[in-house]
Amino acid sequence: MTEIELDQPTFIRQYFTALEFIQYMTLDLGRARETESRNLISEAAGNPWYHGSTIAAENSH
């Protein structure tokens, strides 16, 4: 586990700094695993509903 110290002066600044950090980490992990951004949340959540392959299969009918 890695702990990152947030040295922003207020809770709101800390909150949005942490959120931005998580977004960048998620993007980098998705790129490292060669996952399209549309599918990243679906794959992480284990929910195929919005996955690109599900949409493509539905559109082919």
Side-chain angles (χ1 to χ4, degrees):
M1 183 162 128
T2 302
E3 187 174 320
I4 299 171
E5 185 174 331
L6 300 176
D7 60 353
Q8 282 67 33
T10 65
F11 172 78
I12 295 297
R13 295 279 306 265
Q14 290 177 356
Y15 175 82
F16 283 106
T17 298
L19 179 61
E20 182 179 30
F21 177 76
I22 290 168
Q23 289 171 333
Y24 278 112
M25 288 300 300
T26 302
L27 179 61
D28 286 343
L29 289 170
R31 287 179 176 162
R33 297 188 48 85
E34 298 178 0
T35 302
E36 294 181 20
S37 61
R38 160 177 213 98
N39 299 331
L40 189 59
I41 295 172
S42 295
E43 289 181 16
N47 180 359
W49 184 257
Y50 292 110
H51 198 277
S53 60
T54 303
I55 294 169
E58 288 178 358
N59 288 337
S60 67
H61 288 112

